């Protein structure tokens, strides 16, 4: 299944998602690695099998294996970090913020791609998972690396559409 096939599977009520999925594939503010890595990380972050399959197929000839693995790793590590750091931020007891996480996060230091690309994909997944603390942290790193506001917005736009498509596909399974 390709991205085009996925668009064809969306019901009529999700027409805006179909249009956005297609237009974001033609996004030019991001280079191809950043763009397709954001698609892949977001698909894994949203975790709908049909969406993951379609986007994995779409990026197969667009990302190196190292970049694809790094995008998957961004989704995996954010699946853990977004829960942990959202908890430390939301808990009334602020002592949790001062405790060491004691969670392995080695991939963040050596992602196998440019640090900025990994940070961008991590930010996209953090937006899906709703961790404001992580979004702020990744955005600060991206700004230090010279990534523009428009590029960050593009990655989050991709994440928002991939997440919504994943929700629709999941809901359609129940109909």
């Amino acid at each position: 299944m390709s991205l085009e096939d996925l668009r064809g599977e969306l019901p009529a009520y999700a027409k805006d998602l179909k249009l956005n999925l297609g237009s974001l594939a033609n996004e030019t503010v991001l280079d191809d690695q950043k763009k397709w890595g954001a698609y892949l990380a977001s698909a894994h972050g949203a975790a709908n099998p049909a969406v993951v399959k379609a986007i994995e197929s779409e990026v197969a000839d667009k990302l190196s294996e190292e970049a694809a693995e790094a995008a998957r790793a961004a989704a995996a590590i954010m699946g853990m970090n977004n829960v942990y750091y959202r908890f430390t931020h939301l808990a009334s007891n602020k002592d949790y913020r001062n405790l060491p996480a004691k969670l392995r996060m080695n991939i963040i230091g050596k992602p196998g791609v440019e640090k900025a690309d990994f940070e961008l994909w991590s930010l996209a997944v953090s937006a899906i998972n709703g961790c404001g603390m992580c979004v702020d942290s990744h955005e600060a790193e991206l700004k230090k690396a010279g990534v523009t506001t428009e590029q960050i917005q593009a990655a989050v736009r991709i994440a928002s559409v991939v997440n919504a498509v994943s929700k629709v596909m999941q809901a359609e399974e129940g109909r």
Side-chain angles (χ1 to χ4, degrees):
M1 179 187 292
S2 68
L3 199 58
E4 192 59 37
D5 294 332
L6 180 62
R7 289 178 67 212
E9 298 242 346
L10 288 168
Y13 68 79
K15 181 179 180 183
D16 289 327
L17 299 180
K18 286 182 191 188
L19 296 172
N20 289 329
L21 201 55
S23 67
L24 287 169
N26 296 316
E27 178 66 62
T28 59
V29 72
L30 296 172
D31 64 44
D32 280 349
Q33 180 165 296
K34 284 178 178 60
K35 175 175 62 180
W36 294 111
Y39 263 99
L40 187 57
S42 297
H44 279 265
N48 178 277
V51 174
V52 170
K53 186 175 184 175
I55 292 177
E56 283 279 355
S57 174
E58 187 71 31
V59 305
D61 63 347
K62 294 176 173 75
L63 288 175
S64 68
E65 187 51 40
E66 294 81 14
E69 276 295 296
R72 293 179 199 110
I77 199 72
M78 289 308 109
M80 176 183 73
N81 284 2
N82 294 157
V83 171
Y84 180 79
Y85 288 108
R86 188 172 58 233
F87 163 76
T88 66
H89 178 73
L90 293 174
S92 295
N93 182 347
K94 301 305 175 199
D95 291 343
Y96 295 110
R97 291 184 187 183
N98 299 319
L99 296 173
K102 295 184 181 179
L103 296 170
R104 294 197 186 273
M105 302 177 215
N106 296 328
I107 191 69
I108 294 172
K110 294 182 181 181
V113 293
E114 288 182 40
K115 181 87 165 126
D117 290 358
F118 189 81
E119 290 286 338
L120 188 68
W121 304 334
S122 296
L123 179 133
V125 177
S126 295
I128 289 171
N129 291 335
C131 182
M133 189 175 189
C134 294
V135 166
D136 288 344
S137 176
H138 295 297
E139 195 250 359
E141 290 299 314
L142 288 164
K143 288 301 199 175
K144 282 188 222 172
V147 178
T148 68
T149 301
E150 291 78 13
Q151 289 172 312
I152 293 168
Q153 180 198 34
V156 175
R157 289 171 57 224
I158 290 167
S160 68
V161 171
V162 170
N163 184 61
V165 167
S166 295
K167 300 269 189 217
V168 167
M169 294 299 286
Q170 186 172 353
E172 284 298 302
E173 288 177 21
R175 284 184 67 189

